[in-house]
Amino acid sequence: MEQIPVSVLDSWIGRKHFSSEQLSREQLVEYQIKKISETIKMAKENSAFYKKKYKDLPLPETMADFEKYPLMDGEDLVRNGTKMLCVSQRDIQRVVTLSTSGTTRNPKRIYFTQQDQELTIDFFAYGMEQVTAQGERVAICLPWKSEGCVGDLLMRGLKRRGIQGVGIGLIEQLPEAAECMIKNNTQAAVAIPTQLLALMEYAKRQNMKLPLARVLTSTDLLSDSVRKRLEVFGLEVFDHLGMTECGLGVALECKAHQGMHIRENDLYLEVVDFYGNPMPDGKFGELVMTTLTRDGMPLIRYRMGDRARILPGNCSCKSVLRRVEVTGRLGERTFRGWGIRQWDEFLFSFPEILDYQLVQKANGNWSLILEGFDALSPKTAKAIREKTCDIQIECRQWEKQLPAYTGKRCIRCREA
């Protein structure tokens, strides 16, 4: 049996922090406790928010001590804003504004220094070795033209490793995206899963041979149904977890494809129940994040609002890094008892369906909009009708253009 190489993150973390590619779990835990204590000390000394919040709390010496620290959430960001900063505002290089569903106050803003962004570039530079190699070209099917955006940081990281990024942006014009990949001989791509699937199906219909061999999916949930359809095209699929609050790069799948290994040198992740109690590995709860190396706006025991679990056991690649699985948002809208992940698994199992929208109108009526190149077969239409019952179903057929990307997949509510 062929030996699966260990996650590239292990050797990267080992070289960067321990002067050795041989990383041990004991080393990493000791490092994390030290960095947590250092982060809290820095925050108490430099941030008005943290100084008040942790006024009477001693620095933690163990993870058990740290678990006694209070949790925080998005409302803390909304209410306190720049009071959370540990540097002068003139040292902030990028500010990212996030939507704040459930509040009518100011939006959440995340602040990054140049050094904070450097951490992400470094993660991208070495993490992408899992997907590509020196001398290759990678299609960047994400926004890349604005300085500091995810595609820009990814391009800079690739350049450091002798890999050329080819900026495409979010995929809308399918012919242009396909021709760009062929012209530049891009052996790998970073893209939203459903957009990549639509591109592969389009190329097949046009008898176009795309040079892709490996793809990194990002920005949205990757369902098993979509993964299997991409693999039919001969693609090796690597999933990636990225969240703005975490500095974009959170976790990355290795060649064993048994879950995403966490960027544990820069982030400490926990999973807690509704009351904030730690959940054992394998059990789902809410994802909680602590930054270990950020100096602009550190986040400490920050509730992400995502339903997640730490996968039990070890990956067959023999990595010492923990693995995380995120399945969606807590409290997300459901229809017929299913959330967006279950609907993804069901609907994307039908070859005609390349995207869909499931929305509830203001009058309470539901609508399912199915999108793709072909009309539904009678068999597919019957299977979907049996699951959705009496709701309105609308089919939209594409030609060469995808609808504009409107954000992460979810079951939506709209006024009209």
Side-chain angles (χ1 to χ4, degrees):
M1 181 180 296
E2 183 181 355
Q3 176 66 42
I4 298 174
V6 70
S7 166
V8 297
L9 299 186
D10 283 64
S11 57
W12 168 59
I13 293 173
R15 292 193 304 267
K16 185 172 184 178
H17 300 285
F18 305 104
S19 302
S20 171
E21 293 194 7
Q22 299 300 313
L23 181 65
S24 74
R25 188 70 211 165
E26 293 72 22
Q27 278 180 313
L28 194 53
V29 171
E30 183 179 350
Y31 163 87
Q32 289 178 321
I33 294 172
K34 178 183 176 183
K35 297 303 290 185
I36 286 171
S37 183
E38 290 176 354
T39 297
I40 293 173
K41 183 176 184 295
M42 177 192 71
K44 289 176 70 173
E45 292 175 350
N46 297 285
S47 161
F49 168 76
Y50 285 117
K51 183 177 182 179
K52 180 178 179 180
K53 188 178 182 69
Y54 298 150
K55 179 181 178 181
D56 299 320
L57 292 174
L59 295 178
E61 297 180 0
T62 66
M63 288 303 184
D65 293 339
F66 183 54
E67 289 171 358
K68 298 175 183 176
Y69 266 63
L71 297 165
M72 58 181 294
D73 59 24
E75 285 296 301
D76 289 294
L77 272 66
V78 171
R79 289 192 297 266
N80 296 283
T82 55
K83 292 181 181 178
M84 298 179 65
L85 295 184
C86 292
V87 299
S88 169
Q89 289 193 55
R90 65 174 175 268
D91 294 323
I92 297 298
Q93 187 180 61
R94 182 170 175 80
V95 182
V96 180
T97 301
L98 301 177
S99 62
T100 52
S101 58
T103 178
T104 57
R105 290 190 286 270
N106 294 329
K108 293 186 292 186
R109 289 191 172 89
I110 313 297
Y111 297 82
F112 299 96
T113 64
Q114 181 177 351
Q115 178 57 29
D116 294 336
Q117 292 202 296
E118 170 61 32
L119 295 171
T120 299
I121 295 171
D122 196 42
F123 170 73
F124 285 160
Y126 288 90
M128 282 300 292
E129 288 185 357
Q130 196 73 76
V131 184
T132 188
Q134 287 188 358
E136 291 190 341
R137 294 179 177 179
V138 180
I140 309 299
C141 303
L142 297 173
W144 62 278
K145 292 184 179 180
S146 298
E147 183 178 356
C149 70
V150 59
D152 173 58
L153 299 182
L154 184 54
M155 295 271 249
R156 286 195 253 171
L158 289 170
K159 186 176 181 180
R160 292 183 184 181
R161 308 302 294 171
I163 302 166
Q164 181 180 342
V166 178
I168 291 179
L170 294 174
I171 300 174
E172 291 187 11
Q173 297 294 333
L174 295 169
E176 293 179 6
E179 289 165 7
C180 183
M181 289 184 184
I182 293 172
K183 177 182 177 181
N184 289 280
N185 191 29
T186 54
Q187 295 95 333
V190 180
I192 296 171
T194 52
Q195 291 196 345
L196 182 63
L197 177 61
L199 180 65
M200 299 304 295
E201 292 285 359
Y202 172 80
K204 177 183 176 182
R205 294 167 66 91
Q206 300 297 319
N207 294 315
M208 302 172 75
K209 177 61 176 176
L210 299 185
L212 297 178
R214 285 152 270 109
V215 294
L216 180 75
T217 55
S218 184
T219 304
D220 213 338
L221 288 175
L222 171 67
S223 67
D224 289 339
S225 293
V226 171
R227 180 192 287 270
K228 290 174 183 176
R229 290 176 66 178
L230 290 172
E231 289 174 343
V232 168
F233 291 101
L235 299 177
E236 185 174 11
V237 182
F238 296 86
D239 200 10
H240 163 259
L241 177 63
M243 300 175 180
T244 301
E245 295 96 326
C246 298
L248 299 176
V250 180
L252 175 65
E253 200 171 71
C254 72
K255 291 188 73 68
H257 304 291
Q258 295 173 355
M260 293 178 285
H261 296 278
I262 302 169
R263 176 185 168 188
E264 291 199 75
N265 58 326
D266 293 321
L267 303 169
Y268 178 68
L269 299 187
E270 306 170 72
V271 175
V272 303
D273 64 15
F274 177 81
Y275 301 100
N277 301 312
M279 297 292 287
D281 291 356
K283 298 295 184 181
F284 282 99
E286 182 175 7
L287 190 65
V288 171
M289 180 269 296
T290 298
T291 60
L292 303 178
T293 49
R294 192 183 302 173
D295 57 17
M297 185 188 206
L299 297 178
I300 301 170
R301 301 206 78 202
Y302 178 78
R303 302 186 83 139
M304 300 294 297
D306 291 295
R307 183 176 184 269
R309 64 172 177 163
I310 301 298
L311 294 176
N314 298 316
C315 180
S316 61
C317 81
K318 297 183 171 27
S319 169
V320 303
L321 301 174
R322 297 184 303 160
R323 295 163 296 146
V324 65
E325 177 185 7
V326 176
T327 62
R329 298 289 291 174
L330 291 172
E332 67 176 355
R333 297 177 63 83
T334 62
F335 175 70
R336 299 286 194 264
W338 281 358
I340 194 66
R341 192 177 188 90
Q342 289 89 351
W343 282 107
D344 274 9
E345 297 295 356
F346 175 65
L347 292 173
F348 286 121
S349 67
F350 301 106
E352 305 98 319
I353 297 175
L354 296 175
D355 206 349
Y356 72 92
Q357 299 177 51
L358 186 54
V359 297
Q360 185 178 27
K361 300 178 182 179
N363 61 9
N365 294 332
W366 286 87
S367 177
L368 175 61
I369 303 168
L370 303 173
E371 301 179 80
F373 296 117
D374 300 313
L376 301 184
S377 69
K379 182 179 179 181
T380 296
K382 179 181 178 182
I384 294 175
R385 176 57 66 192
E386 288 176 349
K387 178 60 186 175
T388 57
C389 300
D390 56 349
I391 74 167
Q392 177 185 350
I393 297 180
E394 177 184 346
C395 294
R396 296 178 182 173
Q397 289 182 241
W398 300 334
E399 292 185 4
K400 298 179 180 181
Q401 183 174 348
L402 299 184
Y405 180 68
T406 57
K408 290 187 177 182
R409 306 187 60 74
C410 64
I411 298 174
R412 304 180 188 277
C413 181
R414 66 183 183 188
E415 295 182 358

